[in-house]
Amino acid sequence: MKIRSLLLAAVAVLPLLAACSGGKSDKGGADRPITLGFSQVGAESEWRTANTRSIKAAAKAAGIRLKFSDAQQKQENQIKALRSFIAQRVDVIAFSPVVESGWETVLREAKAAGIPVIVTDRAVDVTDDSLYTTLIGSDFVEEGRRAARWLIDDMKDRKGPINIVELQGTVGSAPAIDRQKGFHEVIDADPRFKVIRSQSGDFTRAKGKEVMEAFLKAEGKNIDVLYAHNDDMAIGAIQAIEEAGLQPGKDITVVSIDGVKGAFQAMMAGKLNATVECNPLIGPQLMDIVKKVHAGQTVPKRIIVNESVFDRSQAAAAFPSRQY
Ligand code: GYE
């Protein structure tokens, strides 16, 4: 009698168990491809388009079904995309957050739905760390420090004051906040340097040019250095400098971040002095992490990409092997 009721209870519970595990039994299995929802920032720079290409190609190579959404640099679009991934019950969500703050609510929704979230490239600012699995991307503070160290070294024989104008990235974004922080940390220790103007150029060429025009108008020949948070803004600004009748790379020293092909070309033309590398080719690494996370394995909370600095003397030799 006892055994019979036990059996009955087990039979009654079976379908429930099956429903709960819903797909979990084939986690990482070959029978069903993993679906990854990826929300991209936009297409604002050469870096970003290389990043998108890398992610699309790597998903294909890894047999991961990718739902890709472009937010056109707007957080509201990204939140919508994340909500739609949750509604579609994708297996894993990854996103590169346009700005750091404002993610708690939607990340809590993903957590409640049991969908793991991987943050790529840019960091989020959340009080609860458990809202994302891992952050895979560069150390932007270090990139800012590297730009400043390069500058101090390049100008070691020069007397002060040395006036810097700064083109910041997107307001509130991790790379803009951190690249400013790291740069100041190092440059402020050398009293010759002074940042006389600092404004956002939103990581684009067009905005970089526009803001540089305003800097030139306000400061005239006072500007010794341009520090741009990415190459695209520097390239836009170089055009503005030339249009103002000055020589970029000579009258104004230009240092930026990313290391895209356009920057190497500008260095070879003598117009850009140095670029700090920021590697966008994180697709393969991301797909690896997606598989691990989907299979329930633990991954490190922070995965940092390796990168270096290039100046004009190294540009021609390095250019042929640049992949972005
Ligand atoms: O440096 C810039 C892009 O988040 C690291 O975003 C990325 C930055 C990159 O628009 O070019």
Side-chain angles (χ1 to χ4, degrees), residues 41 44-48 73 96-97 121-122 138 140 143 170 173 175 179 202-204 229-232 257-258 260 278:
V41 169
E44 73 283 2
S45 64
E46 259 190 70
W47 190 99
R48 188 65 54 196
Q73 297 237 70
S96 173
D121 158 33
R122 300 182 179 182
S138 308
F140 302 137
E143 290 170 353
T170 301
S173 71
R179 286 170 182 172
D202 213 14
F203 282 130
T204 68
H229 289 188
N230 82 342
D231 292 336
D232 284 77
I257 300 178
D258 274 356
V260 296
C278 180

Side-chain angles (χ1 to χ4, degrees), residues 43-57:
E44 73 283 2
S45 64
E46 259 190 70
W47 190 99
R48 188 65 54 196
T49 48
N51 180 246
T52 293
R53 258 185 277 120
S54 170
I55 287 162
K56 287 186 173 168

Side-chain angles (χ1 to χ4, degrees), residues 23-320:
K24 273 198 180 132
S25 53
D26 62 355
K27 259 195 171 183
D31 45 344
R32 188 174 65 91
I34 300 171
T35 301
L36 168 69
F38 186 88
S39 165
Q40 180 60 292
V41 169
E44 73 283 2
S45 64
E46 259 190 70
W47 190 99
R48 188 65 54 196
T49 48
N51 180 246
T52 293
R53 258 185 277 120
S54 170
I55 287 162
K56 287 186 173 168
K60 207 169 171 204
I64 288 173
R65 199 189 300 143
L66 178 69
K67 289 179 186 286
F68 183 92
S69 175
D70 177 334
Q72 299 180 320
Q73 297 237 70
K74 289 202 180 79
Q75 182 174 34
E76 58 194 271
N77 292 346
Q78 283 201 295
I79 291 175
K80 263 189 218 150
L82 298 190
R83 291 211 163 110
S84 129
F85 294 149
I86 296 169
Q88 294 171 63
R89 308 206 55 80
V90 299
D91 297 307
V92 181
I93 290 175
F95 79 122
S96 173
V98 58
V99 290
E100 281 192 344
S101 59
W103 300 105
E104 303 257 350
T105 311
V106 69
L107 291 184
R108 242 180 263 124
E109 290 166 19
K111 194 180 176 186
I115 303 173
V117 176
I118 299 169
V119 180
T120 73
D121 158 33
R122 300 182 179 182
V124 289
D125 185 7
V126 287
T127 47
D128 178 1
D129 249 17
S130 76
L131 291 177
Y132 65 92
T133 314
T134 181
L135 161 60
I136 157 172
S138 308
D139 182 345
F140 302 137
V141 178
E142 181 56 24
E143 290 170 353
R145 288 190 200 112
R146 283 182 183 154
R149 281 189 211 119
W150 179 86
L151 201 55
I152 289 174
D153 184 55
D154 185 65
M155 303 210 156
K156 54 183 176 294
D157 300 326
R158 199 144 137 189
K159 284 210 179 81
I162 302 171
N163 291 331
I164 304 172
V165 293
E166 177 184 28
L167 278 171
Q168 295 177 37
T170 301
V171 177
S173 71
I177 295 167
D178 293 350
R179 286 170 182 172
Q180 180 170 54
K181 186 171 165 236
F183 185 79
H184 271 280
E185 220 178 75
V186 173
I187 215 79
D188 290 355
D190 187 330
R192 292 174 304 156
F193 292 95
K194 197 174 162 217
V195 177
I196 54 168
R197 293 209 175 233
S198 179
Q199 205 178 307
S200 172
D202 213 14
F203 282 130
T204 68
R205 283 187 194 206
K207 263 288 182 68
K209 177 166 189 264
E210 197 183 301
V211 176
M212 190 66 201
E213 279 166 1
F215 284 166
L216 286 161
K217 213 177 229 169
E219 296 293 343
K221 294 212 159 76
N222 256 339
I223 305 170
D224 301 301
V225 176
L226 163 66
Y227 166 47
H229 289 188
N230 82 342
D231 292 336
D232 284 77
M233 292 190 293
I235 291 164
I238 282 170
Q239 218 180 314
I241 295 168
E242 287 181 317
E243 284 172 15
L246 295 168
Q247 268 186 284
K250 193 162 173 263
D251 299 324
I252 297 178
T253 296
V254 186
V255 55
S256 58
I257 300 178
D258 274 356
V260 296
K261 278 193 178 146
F264 277 79
Q265 281 158 337
M267 284 196 289
M268 289 189 279
K271 298 174 181 181
L272 177 72
N273 297 76
T275 185
V276 175
E277 186 181 33
C278 180
N279 184 1
L281 309 179
I282 57 178
Q285 225 175 334
L286 171 62
M287 298 313 148
D288 243 37
I289 301 294
V290 167
K291 283 183 178 168
K292 284 190 176 145
V293 166
H294 185 61
Q297 294 174 24
T298 41
V299 295
K301 195 81 197 175
R302 180 76 171 97
I303 300 164
I304 295 176
V305 182
N306 284 338
E307 17 209 46
S308 53
V309 183
F310 296 90
D311 68 12
R312 291 190 290 193
S313 66
Q314 302 156 311
F319 184 68

